Structures are given as structure tokens and as C-alpha cells.
Amino acid sequence: MDRLRPAKVAVSPRASFLSGLKTGSGLAAASFLLAVSFGAISTSQGWGHLAPVICSMAVFSGSAQFALLATLGSGGGIAGAVTSAALINSRFIPMGIAVAGDLRGGRFRRALEGQAVVDGSWAAAHLGGGRFDRYLLFGATAIQWPAWVAGTALGVAMSPDPDLLHRLGLDVLTPALFVALLFDEVRRERINRLPALLGAVLAAGLIVFLPAGPALVGAALAALVALFRAPASPPAGPESAEEANRAEAAGQADKAVQPVHSDEEVAR
């Protein structure tokens, strides 16, 4: 008799959350160093001691906050600074749409859970096939937010040279971590290779004419390619795999309880 295949072991929410903490620890370390630079630069531009920390607590987006610094530092007004930050953060709209199906609860709870959608956590929590591990997402973000706020506070308090991270070469840590996440995503699903390649080409071309922020926003348009390229066979998630195993086990059980008739009984 054929042996039953063992059902796929489901990962508990606690284990998934702890995995997110572990995954997010590297991103948190890089965020901490980058936040020190943000605190130092904002203090040197006259933001004071409290405004940078409040900004990091509320915005929690390095690209948007540095866009604020760049715009205000170059003489731009508040409206222009907020607009530039909003344009850079517009990437969270498609990211939020992608993860919305895996969030739980009513509108308020889903909106609250959506606050965990940040770049590194979102990429790390992707399971493939458009599905996300929400508890891993929460864990990866839970460790990054306090690191970002603490780094900003340290930068404000110590006021180091804003160019210190650049001279030490530590400003490449965050891009390196994102490249590692990108390679993992591309290796996991072949359908992501073309959008990743187009995004890299667009970013390299736009950076010649535009600042880094707008260039990255323009490169994100390559993600639209995924809308027109559906995978041939979407990978089965943990729930579907478990249901398949249960169905197979039920079928085997039905066969096992069927009565066995002798040849004489069949002839009758």
C-alpha cells in the first residue's frame, strides 16, 4: 500500500514573528547608522533637537526624510519638500495593494497592520506568488522602527560630522542589504527577473539626469511589467498544500475502510 505523504508543517505565528526579528536585525543595524546621519544633518540645518526625532517616529522612511533635508537645504519651501517626500513614498501604494490580501480584520485594523509595510520587511515577507507572511512582516518592522528612532536621537545628541558615514564607507550597507533581498526574490521566482532587469536599467539611465529619489520612482515603473506577465502555474501556498494532503489522506482512508469481497460474493 502506498505510504501517505507527510503534511507540510505550518509555521506558527510566533516562529514567523521571531524569524522576522532575525531577518530585520541586519536592516535595523543599517537603519540605525543611516538614522545617525539623518539626525546629524537635520541638526546642522537648524531643525533643533526634537523635530528630527518626531519626524523619524512619524515618517519612518529614510528616502522621504532625506528628500526633505535635500529640498529644505537647497532653499526649497515646505510645500516642495513635502511634495518630494510624498512622491518618493508613493511606492508604498502598489506595495500596500500587493500585501492587502494577507492582512486581517476590519478597515482600522488593516490600516494599522499596513504601517508595517516598509521596503526591507515587505521584500523579506514575500512568500512568492503574490502572498506574504504577515507575522514575518510585523517582526521585521518591529525591530527596525526603534533602531531608526534611536539612531536619529543619537545623531541629534552627538552631532557627528554628517559626512562621517560616507568617509567610513558605511553608507553602502543599506543598498547592499536591498541588493541581497533583490537577488533572493529573483532567484525564488523567474517571473521577477525581467522587471528587476528593467528597473536596474531605468535607474541607471535616470540617475544621469535626475536625483536618486525621482530616479528610483521612475525605475519602479518596471514593476508594471509583472501585471502583464502571469506565472504559468502559481505556487501553492501553505494552506493549499495542507488541504491537498488532507484530501489525499481522506482518499486513502476511504480505500482502507472499503469492505473486501471474496470471489464467491462477487459472483452472487
Side-chain angles (χ1 to χ4, degrees), residues 9-148:
V9 179
V11 180
S12 67
R14 181 177 182 274
S16 185
F17 184 83
L18 293 176
S19 177
L21 291 177
K22 182 179 179 181
T23 302
S25 60
L27 295 168
S31 297
F32 179 83
L33 294 174
L34 192 62
V36 172
S37 178
F38 171 76
I41 297 175
S42 58
T43 303
S44 66
Q45 290 187 2
W47 281 39
H49 292 80
L50 190 59
V53 178
I54 294 178
C55 182
S56 288
M57 294 175 65
V59 180
F60 185 33
S61 173
S63 56
Q65 290 176 228
F66 278 102
L68 286 172
L69 287 176
T71 305
L72 294 175
S74 61
I78 296 179
V82 172
T83 300
S84 62
L87 287 174
I88 291 178
N89 272 359
S90 63
R91 69 189 185 278
F92 289 119
I93 296 177
M95 291 168 62
I97 294 174
V99 78
D102 292 289
L103 302 180
R104 299 290 182 268
R107 293 182 178 180
F108 178 78
R109 179 180 173 182
R110 291 165 67 87
L112 186 62
E113 291 186 356
Q115 302 307 307
V117 177
V118 295
D119 298 311
S121 302
W122 184 87
H126 188 212
L127 297 174
R131 299 182 63 253
F132 291 83
D133 186 334
R134 57 195 290 265
Y135 289 103
L136 193 150
L137 176 74
F138 299 157
T141 300
I143 194 173
Q144 290 183 72
W145 184 81
W148 180 256

Side-chain angles (χ1 to χ4, degrees), residues 138-198:
F138 299 157
T141 300
I143 194 173
Q144 290 183 72
W145 184 81
W148 180 256
V149 176
T152 303
L154 181 63
V156 169
M158 296 185 62
S159 298
D161 185 353
D163 294 330
L164 179 60
L165 291 181
H166 178 70
R167 291 203 303 268
L168 295 177
L170 297 177
D171 54 344
V172 301
L173 288 178
T174 300
L177 287 172
F178 281 117
V179 169
L181 290 172
L182 175 63
F183 282 152
D184 182 68
E185 186 70 19
V186 170
R187 187 168 57 248
R188 181 185 302 155
E189 290 188 288
R190 296 181 61 184
I191 193 175
N192 296 325
R193 296 178 181 177
L194 179 59
L197 178 61
L198 289 177

